[in-house]
């Protein structure tokens, strides 16, 4: 057991987040997304919503400040209004100090093609439609905290 690890993040997802490098992307997929036909690296998170996973992932994952778009939403079709869940995502981006990242909206089929190139896809049980999100990993630009260990500070 570890302290301060969000409960929605499985050991497999934590491993993937650690393995990812600068510029790698991860998809948070809703329950309707064709996850298993789009990747060989699927991470099942049954019973978990995307807002929960998004907030928890963003407590650990730095977004790519050098990319044109580090957050990508699957664009809704002309037959639907802007998904309500997007306002929840905006709140989460603000709460996790990521409000500077304006989400890019990508059409459904273009989103599918981009998802196929992602490092991994997280299969959630999210029921909201057009709730899918791609996150591009950035870098940690500076350490925020030093640790005192064995008579020395490690920064």
């Amino acid at each position: 057991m570890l302290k301060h690890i969000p409960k929605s993040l499985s050991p497999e997802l934590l491993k993937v987040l650690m393995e990812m490098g600068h510029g790698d992307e991860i998809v948070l997929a809703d329950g309707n997304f064709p996850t298993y036909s789009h990747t060989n690296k699927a991470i099942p998170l049954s019973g978990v919503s995307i807002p929960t996973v998004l907030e928890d992932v963003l407590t650990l994952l730095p977004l790519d400040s050098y990319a044109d778009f580090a957050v990508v939403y699957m664009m809704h079709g002309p037959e639907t209004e802007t998904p309500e869940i997007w306002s929840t995502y905006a709140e989460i981006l603000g709460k996790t100090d990521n409000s500077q990242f304006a989400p890019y909206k990508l059409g459904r089929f273009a989103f599918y093609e981009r998802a196929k190139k992602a490092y991994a896809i997280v299969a959630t049980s999210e029921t909201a439609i057009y709730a899918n999100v791609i996150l591009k990993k950035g870098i940690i630009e500076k350490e925020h905290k030093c640790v005192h260990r064995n008579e020395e500070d490690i920064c």
Side-chain angles (χ1 to χ4, degrees):
M1 194 65 119
L2 299 174
K3 296 194 275 182
H4 309 296
I5 301 294
K7 291 178 183 166
S8 78
L9 304 183
S10 68
E12 185 179 8
L13 179 51
L14 287 171
K15 178 181 181 290
V16 162
L17 293 173
M18 289 291 296
E19 290 173 346
M20 290 172 62
H22 179 226
D24 282 340
E25 295 182 337
I26 189 163
V27 179
L28 306 182
D30 64 32
N32 292 306
F33 193 84
T35 298
Y36 295 92
S37 65
H38 280 62
T39 189
N40 290 325
K41 194 175 274 192
I43 303 166
L45 285 182
S46 299
V48 182
S49 70
I50 289 180
T52 299
V53 177
L54 179 63
E55 184 169 349
D56 290 348
V57 164
L58 289 177
T59 64
L60 303 176
L61 183 82
L63 293 177
D64 191 346
S65 60
Y66 298 102
D68 290 336
F69 301 103
V71 179
V72 179
Y73 296 165
M74 178 188 277
M75 185 65 184
H76 55 87
E79 73 285 358
T80 61
E81 296 181 20
T82 300
E84 289 180 33
I85 200 162
W86 289 6
S87 61
T88 303
Y89 294 170
E91 290 172 19
I92 292 168
L93 287 169
K95 195 177 353 178
T96 59
D97 296 324
N98 289 296
S99 57
Q100 72 272 27
F101 294 100
Y104 180 72
K105 292 145 188 111
L106 197 57
R108 180 175 153 210
F109 295 107
F111 189 99
Y112 285 162
E113 289 307 310
R114 187 160 175 176
K116 287 178 184 177
K117 298 173 188 167
Y119 190 83
I121 300 177
V122 179
T124 73
S125 297
E126 181 58 57
T127 58
I129 60 170
Y130 297 104
N132 305 299
V133 181
I134 296 173
L135 303 174
K136 183 181 284 285
K137 186 175 184 179
I139 60 171
I140 297 175
E141 297 187 33
K142 63 181 177 179
E143 287 295 321
H144 299 286
K145 192 175 180 182
C146 295
V147 176
H148 187 75
R149 195 176 292 151
N150 298 331
E151 305 294 323
E152 68 178 295
D153 288 329
I154 302 170
C155 298

